[in-house]
């Protein structure tokens, strides 16, 4: 049994309280390897932003749970080395079983998500409550995120063909029965780089897809029913067109890519939304730079020479998100 405090990590309780009252959202950046983690910590130290390091079940399988735990500990020490001790959370993204959440709690995670949104309502309540009871009973309180509503799209092991908006009339009952610390809701965000089908969008100059707006009416109703309660948005990458164009210029095929406009995310971050998940944007930035290096230097085979530029671009992206989108810069 490893407590997250032994690793220098924190849970989300105080961070979310501060974010809700301060009108900003914490960045929740997914990572799978060293370069992604370095870029996240560099950007958040530079902008003095708290950060949530997110690990999916797929990332645990890919990188090994023991290595990931020690990378999180290393992230805390790295931030200190860079000169500013930002608050860092290690969070399980889209946990799909009690056993997985339990294992993460026991191996140093400071926060876990149990995603029972695909289950019938009563089963979602029962599963989420079970995880909360275990996580909250630890010597060092581990925070739990639940979910109501289903996001469309594909991300690692999470896949859904259709989305179902969160029903505001369910949120009070769900939070009251489960005792979750935060709630992920569905208001039109989506997993992956194609968050909407072309027929759901309009076309801007140059044929650029313009997505439908988020359902801020649902968000407002949830806030009304759960005043001050921490709300989470998943699937909130903006899918920057510049990265899509670089990838396609150098041989990639990413047709119909479309994300969530950053101005809508900034609006959401000023509400009770205090955690915004961003994964696909990082994947696009990294892939764009790697493809560029390979195309311009076909004789290059040193991983440092293509992962280094990818890491630099990731840092630039993450810093932009904390400053201009989430409003979390200067809040550490």
């Amino acid at each position: 049994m490893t407590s997250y405090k032994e690793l220098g990590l924190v849970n989300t309780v105080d961070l979310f309280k501060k974010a809700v009252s301060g009108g900003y959202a914490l960045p929740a950046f997914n990572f799978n390897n060293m370069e992604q983690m370095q870029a996240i910590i560099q950007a958040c130290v530079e902008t003095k932003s708290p950060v949530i390091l997110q690990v999916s079940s797929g990332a645990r399988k890919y990188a090994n749970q023991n290595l990931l735990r020690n990378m999180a500990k290393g992230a805390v020490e790295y931030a200190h080395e860079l000169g500013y001790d930002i608050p860092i959370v290690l969070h399980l993204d889209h946990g799909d079983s009690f056993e997985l959440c339990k294992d993460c709690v026991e191996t140093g995670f400071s926060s876990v998500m149990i995603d029972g949104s695909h289950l019938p309502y009563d089963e979602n309540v029962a599963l989420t409550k079970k995880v909360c009871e275990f996580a909250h009973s630890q010597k060092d309180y581990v925070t739990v995120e639940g979910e109501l509503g289903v996001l469309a799209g594909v991300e690692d092991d999470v896949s859904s063909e259709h989305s179902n908006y969160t029903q505001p009339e369910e949120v009070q009952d769900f939070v009251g029965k489960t005792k979750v610390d935060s709630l992920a809701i569905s208001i039109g965000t989506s997993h992956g780089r194609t968050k909407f089908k072309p027929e759901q969008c309009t076309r801007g100059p140059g044929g650029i897809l313009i997505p439908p707006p988020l359902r801020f009416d649902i968000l407002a109703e949830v806030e009304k029913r759960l005043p001050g309660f921490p709300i989470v948005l998943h699937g909130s990458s903006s899918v920057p067109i510049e990265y899509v164009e670089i990838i396609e210029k150098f041989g990639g095929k990413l047709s119909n890519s479309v994300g969530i406009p950053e101005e809508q995310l900034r609006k959401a971050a000023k509400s009770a939304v205090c955690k915004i998940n961003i994964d696909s944007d990082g994947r696009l930035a990294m892939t764009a730079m790697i493809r560029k290096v390979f195309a311009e230097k076909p004789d290059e085979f040193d991983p440092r020479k293509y992962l280094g530029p990818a890491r630099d671009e990731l840092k630039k992206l993450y810093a932009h998100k904390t400053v201009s989108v989430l409003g979390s810069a200067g809040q550490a």
Side-chain angles (χ1 to χ4, degrees), residues 216 238 260-270 324-325:
F216 284 101
S238 298
I260 309 299
E262 290 187 339
E263 61 270 18
Q264 292 194 41
L265 295 174
R266 186 70 197 100
K267 179 180 177 181
K270 292 178 180 178
S324 302
V325 183

Side-chain angles (χ1 to χ4, degrees), residues 159-170:
S159 176
S160 179
E161 186 72 22
H162 304 287
S163 63
N164 294 312
Y165 290 122
T166 299
Q167 303 300 310
E169 60 271 18
E170 294 179 341

Side-chain angles (χ1 to χ4, degrees), residues 38 40-46 75-85:
Q38 287 175 315
I40 293 168
I41 299 305
Q42 288 172 5
C44 291
V45 166
E46 187 175 286
V76 174
E77 296 173 355
Y78 186 40
H80 183 76
E81 181 184 318
L82 291 174
Y84 199 84
D85 294 323

Side-chain angles (χ1 to χ4, degrees), residues 33-40 42-43 78 285-286 289-290 304 306-318:
N33 61 25
M34 181 186 75
E35 286 78 15
Q36 289 173 312
M37 185 272 281
Q38 287 175 315
I40 293 168
Q42 288 172 5
Y78 186 40
M286 199 166 198
M289 292 303 105
I290 290 172
R304 295 169 297 180
Y306 53 85
L307 291 176
R311 179 182 59 195
D312 294 342
E313 192 64 32
L314 282 172
K315 175 189 172 183
K316 176 182 170 184
L317 169 70
Y318 294 142

Side-chain angles (χ1 to χ4, degrees), residues 54-55 90-98 100-101 104-105 109-117 128 131 142-149 151 158 180 182-185 191 232 234 275 277:
Q54 288 203 150
V55 176
L90 180 62
H91 176 75
L92 171 66
D93 189 24
H94 286 290
D96 59 0
S97 69
F98 171 78
L100 175 59
C101 291
C104 287
V105 168
F109 280 65
S110 57
S111 180
V112 295
M113 179 199 184
I114 179 63
D115 182 3
S117 60
T128 305
V131 172
V142 175
T143 42
V144 180
E145 174 186 328
E147 181 165 0
L148 275 176
L151 274 65
V158 180
V180 286
S182 61
L183 181 66
I185 64 172
H191 293 128
V232 176
H234 284 243
K275 173 177 178 276
N277 293 11

Side-chain angles (χ1 to χ4, degrees), residues 16-328:
F16 283 174
K17 285 180 182 176
K18 188 179 175 185
V20 170
S21 63
Y24 63 91
L26 271 75
F29 296 134
N30 288 69
F31 82 106
N32 305 271
N33 61 25
M34 181 186 75
E35 286 78 15
Q36 289 173 312
M37 185 272 281
Q38 287 175 315
I40 293 168
I41 299 305
Q42 288 172 5
C44 291
V45 166
E46 187 175 286
T47 61
K48 292 183 170 56
S49 170
V51 69
I52 297 171
L53 293 174
Q54 288 203 150
V55 176
S56 67
S57 60
R60 284 182 92 232
K61 295 171 187 173
Y62 175 80
N64 180 269
Q65 62 182 15
N66 291 316
L67 287 175
L68 282 173
R69 179 178 69 243
N70 284 288
M71 284 176 71
K73 181 181 179 181
V76 174
E77 296 173 355
Y78 186 40
H80 183 76
E81 181 184 318
L82 291 174
Y84 199 84
D85 294 323
I86 59 173
I88 299 174
V89 177
L90 180 62
H91 176 75
L92 171 66
D93 189 24
H94 286 290
D96 59 0
S97 69
F98 171 78
E99 289 74 23
L100 175 59
C101 291
K102 180 176 181 289
D103 192 42
C104 287
V105 168
E106 292 178 339
T107 53
F109 280 65
S110 57
S111 180
V112 295
M113 179 199 184
I114 179 63
D115 182 3
S117 60
H118 58 287
L119 299 170
Y121 179 78
D122 288 343
E123 292 181 28
N124 187 4
V125 168
L127 176 60
T128 305
K129 180 180 179 181
K130 184 178 180 181
V131 172
C132 286
E133 288 175 345
F134 177 77
H136 294 168
S137 69
Q138 302 304 304
K139 175 177 172 288
D140 295 318
Y141 186 99
V142 175
T143 42
V144 180
E145 174 186 328
E147 181 165 0
L148 275 176
V150 179
L151 274 65
V154 178
E155 180 185 26
D156 283 359
D157 298 332
V158 180
S159 176
S160 179
E161 186 72 22
H162 304 287
S163 63
N164 294 312
Y165 290 122
T166 299
Q167 303 300 310
E169 60 271 18
E170 294 179 341
V171 297
Q172 285 172 296
D173 182 70
F174 185 83
V175 169
K177 287 179 177 176
T178 63
K179 307 303 185 212
V180 286
D181 301 283
S182 61
L183 181 66
I185 64 172
S186 174
I187 60 169
T189 56
S190 180
H191 293 128
R193 60 148 185 104
T194 52
K195 298 188 181 299
F196 304 93
K197 297 177 181 178
E199 56 267 27
Q200 295 175 289
C201 305
T202 56
R203 294 275 181 179
I208 299 297
L209 292 174
I210 300 175
L214 297 179
R215 290 289 303 275
F216 284 101
D217 57 323
I218 294 176
L219 175 58
E221 186 61 28
V222 170
E223 285 187 279
K224 181 180 175 182
R225 293 169 182 264
L226 292 173
F229 191 80
I231 301 299
V232 176
L233 290 187
H234 284 243
S236 296
S237 284
S238 298
V239 188
I241 189 63
E242 60 266 30
Y243 293 142
V244 173
E245 290 175 345
I246 291 171
I247 291 170
E248 293 192 322
K249 177 182 178 181
F250 296 117
K253 296 185 185 299
L254 298 179
S255 60
N256 298 324
S257 296
V258 59
I260 309 299
E262 290 187 339
E263 61 270 18
Q264 292 194 41
L265 295 174
R266 186 70 197 100
K267 179 180 177 181
K270 292 178 180 178
S271 70
V273 172
C274 59
K275 173 177 178 276
I276 292 181
N277 293 11
I278 298 170
D279 186 5
S280 295
D281 284 356
R283 298 183 185 195
L284 289 168
M286 199 166 198
T287 299
M289 292 303 105
I290 290 172
R291 279 189 174 272
K292 186 174 187 292
V293 171
F294 282 162
E296 295 177 348
K297 300 177 181 178
D299 61 339
E300 188 57 73
F301 67 98
D302 183 345
R304 295 169 297 180
K305 298 298 178 61
Y306 53 85
L307 291 176
R311 179 182 59 195
D312 294 342
E313 192 64 32
L314 282 172
K315 175 189 172 183
K316 176 182 170 184
L317 169 70
Y318 294 142
H320 164 72
K321 295 291 186 182
T322 66
V323 172
S324 302
V325 183
L326 309 176
S328 62

